[in-house]
Structures are given as structure tokens and as C-alpha cells.
Amino acid sequence: MDALGKIYTTTTIVTMNVGGKLNGISIAWITRVSITPPMLAISIGKTRYSHELLNKTDRFGVCIMKPNAEELVSYFGSKSGRNVDKFAGLNYTLSDSGIPIVPDTLAYIECIIKSKADAGDHTIFIGEVVLQKTFDEGKPLIYGEHRMLG
Ligand SMILES: Cc1cc2nc3c(=O)[nH]c(=O)nc-3n(C[C@H](O)[C@H](O)[C@H](O)COP(=O)(O)O)c2cc1C
């Protein structure tokens, strides 16, 4: 195993609602970056449809996934919202701001985008936390060794 594979993170689905268009993207490269105010950084590939959408909005949701959510994470992480409505047939809810929350979400965090940083083939979007909800006290689905460890 290469050393980068030894970075363990939390598996999430980052969601957005841009003028009524819902999309979600599986994200493992996410971390908290500020205590006051609480802030998160997510790293989004420049070719992703979500990258295009996040450049048109100031708000995103972070669904921290339960360990049994591997199949849903694989779906959101293999299809593009350019070609597929990933929410079709899915039993999701909407936050008060209209951001989708997917099934099997352990905890939900909503952020307002405060800044962006270029990072090779990705862009880091830094968001300030404006809402957080815990639905279940269990542990999240962990990503490490280049795969989900459900
Ligand atoms: C477990 C997992 C973790 C992923 N982590 C990231 C990530 O941190 N950043 C990223 O840009 N793509 C990541 N991806 C890939 C995207 O989820 C994938 O390219 C997705 O289909 C893009 O969807 P979109 O085109 O609708 O935005 C991950 C995929 C999986 C399955």
C-alpha cells in the first residue's frame, strides 16, 4: 500500500440545489479546517458536473454516510449528474434551504462557500457551517486504502 492510501477519511455525499437542479457527488477528500467559525474543505475534480454547479451557487450540503451506504456512495460516485438524475426514485428529504439529504445519512452539515483554492486537477471549496444535524450516533463509513471500508 502506498503512503497516500494510509490517509483515512469520512465518506460523504456532497449535495446541491442550483436553481432547482439537484445533484450529489461522493466525496472522500473532506476535512474540517476552522474551529471559529466552523469551516470545512471539500476537494472537487475540475471535470465533475458538481464542480460546474458549485461554481454557480454559494451553498452545499454534506451527508456523512452510514457504513451500510456503500452501494449508494458507489452510485453517486460513478454516475454524473450531467447524464443522470441521481435523485430519481430516491427517498431523499430537503433541508429548509432546499438542499437534498440522501437516505442512510448519519449526520448532515450545510455550508456556505467562503473561498476556493486551486489544487492541481481539483478545486478546494471552503465552506462555513451554517447548519448541522445528527441523525444517528453510530460511526460513519470510512474511506482508506483507496476504498470504502464498510
Ligand atoms: C468513495 C468515493 C469517493 C470519491 N471522492 C471524491 C472526491 O473526494 N473528490 C472528487 O472530485 N471525486 C470523488 N469521487 C468521484 C466522484 O464521486 C465521481 O466522479 C462522480 O461521478 C462525479 O459526479 P458528478 O459528475 O455528478 O459531479 C469519489 C468517488 C467515490 C466512489
Side-chain angles (χ1 to χ4, degrees):
M1 177 62 55
D2 62 333
L4 288 173
K6 291 299 177 187
I7 298 174
Y8 283 55
T9 55
T10 298
T11 311
T12 67
I13 295 179
V14 166
T15 56
M16 59 217 78
N17 179 348
V18 182
K21 170 70 190 175
L22 304 183
N23 197 40
I25 174 174
S26 298
I27 291 292
W29 295 352
I30 175 166
T31 190
R32 185 171 181 171
V33 292
S34 167
I35 298 172
T36 310
M39 295 177 105
L40 301 181
I42 58 171
S43 186
I44 308 282
K46 290 176 182 172
T47 60
R48 318 284 192 231
Y49 183 52
S50 298
H51 190 276
E52 190 180 321
L53 290 179
L54 287 172
N55 276 323
K56 294 182 183 160
T57 187
D58 68 346
R59 191 179 284 263
F60 62 85
V62 176
C63 302
I64 297 174
M65 302 310 296
K66 292 182 184 175
N68 65 353
E70 262 192 64
E71 204 177 312
L72 190 68
V73 171
S74 296
Y75 181 69
F76 273 78
S78 58
K79 305 284 179 205
S80 177
R82 262 194 204 96
N83 319 309
V84 170
D85 175 3
K86 296 187 217 181
F87 289 91
L90 199 67
N91 193 18
Y92 63 94
T93 58
L94 293 177
S95 75
D96 287 349
S97 308
I99 308 293
I101 304 172
V102 299
D104 290 322
T105 293
L106 181 75
Y108 175 74
I109 300 168
E110 201 162 288
C111 291
I112 300 284
I113 297 170
K114 291 292 175 181
S115 62
K116 302 172 193 179
D118 190 64
D121 56 3
H122 282 55
T123 298
I124 299 168
F125 293 82
I126 298 173
E128 184 175 330
V129 175
V130 291
L131 174 74
Q132 44 173 313
K133 277 186 186 174
T134 301
F135 298 109
D136 193 296
E137 288 301 332
K139 291 204 170 81
L141 176 58
I142 298 300
Y143 187 89
E145 309 194 355
H146 305 297
R147 63 192 174 89
M148 288 179 272
L149 303 170

